[in-house]
Amino acid sequence: MEKLISLDLSYSLIISVTMVLPKLKFLNLSHCRELNRVPNFCESPHVERLILRGCINIFEVGESIECLKGLLILNLEDCTSLKKLPKSLTTLESLEEINLFGCLNLEEMSEDLRKMKSLKVFNASGITINTTTNKETSIVSLPSTTLLHPTVQSWLTSCKRLLSSTLWHPTDQSWPTPCIRLCSTNFSLASLPSSLVELTLENCNLSDDDFPSDLSYLGSLKRLNLGGNLFHSLPESISSLHQLDDLILLQCKALQSISKLPVNLQELQASYCSSLERIENPISSLRFPLLEECDKLVEIKSFFKIYPIDQIDKGILRSLGLPNLESMTNIKVELYNSVSHTRTRTSLQVVHDVRLKSDKYEFSIDNIFIPGDDIPNCFNLQPVLENEEIIYDIHGVAGHKICGFNMCILYTNEFSHYKECRFNSISFFISNITKGTCWGYEPTCCAIPRDGENIKWLIHWKCGDQLEVGDQVHFTVYVNNSFHIKSIGISLDYEADPNYVHQEAIGKLSSYSRRDGDSLFEHKYLPQIRFRVSHYFDHSKYEADESHDEENGKFYGPSE
């Protein structure tokens, strides 16, 4: 036994352990539910990994832990009876990771943690941190229960109901049975060491006042998990965490806005933040931000903004054939937000999207979704069938240039019940054959038609100098089999100078025919706009018709 290096006693029924194992490096006592005392480590001083996860009867870790000079990992996860940590813990110069997840009754934690220069990973999730309340009267700020065992969830829910009652006072002894009594710890964020790379503080009762005014001392931090806490906004000092790659804010129910994000942040997880309304930083540099079930989210800077229709520029309304707003005050529409993956029945809204094409220019697109059966008269329109192509001529206006275009797409659903509709269902692809450029667009929101309902999707697209009279422009509208397009209309916006905008419907229909199997580029006459509606995004046909240079973003027609 003296040469034993690894010892695994997990899930055993031992009550105590006496060890004389001078070579031991790994000790696993996980889920020894009867264990009530941590071993004396003086005779086993070379342990590097100590795992005590789920030892629910341990009340303290003895001072003999100071003998473990080479200890790297200390895991005390779900030691729910643990009340204090030894002061000598902070003298362990090799310790790199401490896991206190779920130590709900921990009361004492040394403020000398900042001296632990080797500590890289610290997890204190579920420990109530209360820096402003007197410890003697600070009872039970309960953490989120979503990560706990179902039975514990039920007990904690009962506790929460009791605490919220105006008839209950902290001095009462009428706790529900069974229940878990939680308390706050003297731990503060200011006591953390500057060496930390990963910090997890989920469900720690953190409010706006619990953050230090300066977080720059955590400059090495790469991953920060603040999920399930009570703050309304992030502290401005979070912008000083220049090395931060990953920020987790899951289930921060009180969080209303996110701003001052570190410039090098790569991942943002803020799903289930039910009060979140705005993200005041551009997110284009982030990898797949997670914002699911943020049903109040209405704005992400430089990406989208949702606002009531009565706040839109009246000139845009006229160009879309909507001069009278009074008749639309009581109209409701069901919007699906593809960022938060939520559905909301709401009054008419404008969905303002911004899409950056390159460093040189960006597109500004305003979308309005209105229930209705007809396309406004200001649009040239035609009914369309699947894969049918519509060709228009673009007519110039003397002394004016094209600054954008307007579209109206009339669509309905293909299901007997609108709740079965799948989402992310409509998008379109635009290619300027003359200039060799292309771009695609999928709106942040789309309206879900109810049974028997038609939706008018009105689009006002500002595209700068990307369209000129004489350009050959091809529009392809893609829908999946959730929706069916009935007709499409288009008009152009012209401007004579920056202060004058004039909208004029584009010219007559020059041809309207089915071209199954024909090349879209068979007819070479100019100027023209072509439409094609496809009910499936067929990659093979798409690649056969159009080639795309990924390296420089340019579009080229098919080879002869």
Side-chain angles (χ1 to χ4, degrees), residues 163-179:
L163 285 171
S164 62
S165 172
T166 57
L167 300 177
W168 183 84
H169 189 272
T171 59
D172 289 347
Q173 300 301 316
S174 54
W175 284 82
T177 303
C179 190

Side-chain angles (χ1 to χ4, degrees), residues 109-115 187-193 217:
M109 191 184 308
S110 174
E111 294 187 3
D112 289 335
L113 287 174
R114 65 173 68 90
K115 297 178 180 180
F187 167 72
S188 70
L189 297 180
S191 67
L192 294 171
Y217 66 93

Side-chain angles (χ1 to χ4, degrees), residues 40-177:
N40 187 317
F41 295 106
C42 294
E43 302 297 333
S44 305
H46 295 110
V47 173
E48 296 178 355
R49 297 180 51 147
L50 176 58
I51 314 298
L52 298 168
R53 182 173 59 244
C55 293
I56 60 174
N57 277 317
I58 291 178
F59 289 89
E60 63 179 353
V61 177
E63 295 292 342
S64 69
I65 198 171
E66 66 181 348
C67 297
L68 303 181
K69 300 300 184 183
L71 187 65
L72 300 175
I73 296 175
L74 175 61
N75 189 337
L76 294 165
E77 179 180 341
D78 289 333
C79 291
T80 53
S81 297
L82 186 67
K83 291 187 175 294
K84 65 179 182 178
L85 295 176
K87 294 182 179 180
S88 59
L89 185 67
T90 60
T91 65
L92 300 181
E93 298 180 354
S94 298
L95 191 57
E96 296 180 355
E97 179 177 338
I98 299 177
N99 187 351
L100 301 173
F101 179 95
C103 295
L104 305 178
N105 285 291
L106 188 64
E107 297 177 357
E108 295 184 22
M109 191 184 308
S110 174
E111 294 187 3
D112 289 335
L113 287 174
R114 65 173 68 90
K115 297 178 180 180
M116 304 180 71
K117 303 302 183 183
S118 60
L119 192 62
K120 292 181 172 58
V121 179
F122 185 74
N123 187 339
S125 296
I127 298 176
T128 301
I129 297 173
N130 195 328
T131 60
T132 59
T133 306
N134 185 290
K135 193 170 72 173
E136 292 182 359
T137 59
S138 128
I139 321 178
V140 291
S141 294
L142 298 179
S144 172
T145 64
T146 54
L147 299 178
L148 301 177
H149 188 278
T151 302
V152 179
Q153 289 185 31
S154 176
W155 294 349
L156 287 178
T157 300
S158 299
C159 292
K160 286 182 177 180
R161 291 197 193 102
L162 186 60
L163 285 171
S164 62
S165 172
T166 57
L167 300 177
W168 183 84
H169 189 272
T171 59
D172 289 347
Q173 300 301 316
S174 54
W175 284 82
T177 303

Side-chain angles (χ1 to χ4, degrees), residues 18 51 81 117 130 160 231 249 252 480 512 541 555:
T18 301
I51 314 298
S81 297
K117 303 302 183 183
N130 195 328
K160 286 182 177 180
F231 46 82
L249 302 169
C252 290
N480 66 20
Y512 176 60
K541 186 172 183 178
F555 175 88

Side-chain angles (χ1 to χ4, degrees), residues 372-392:
D373 300 321
D374 58 341
I375 289 181
N377 294 330
C378 61
F379 294 93
N380 279 313
L381 62 99
Q382 283 292 333
V384 294
L385 301 174
E386 183 178 348
N387 293 323
E388 204 150 31
E389 185 179 350
I390 306 172
I391 302 174
Y392 292 99

Side-chain angles (χ1 to χ4, degrees), residues 418-429:
Y418 79 102
K419 290 184 178 180
E420 298 179 21
C421 283
R422 286 181 288 171
F423 308 124
N424 297 330
S425 300
I426 302 181
S427 61
F428 55 83
F429 183 85

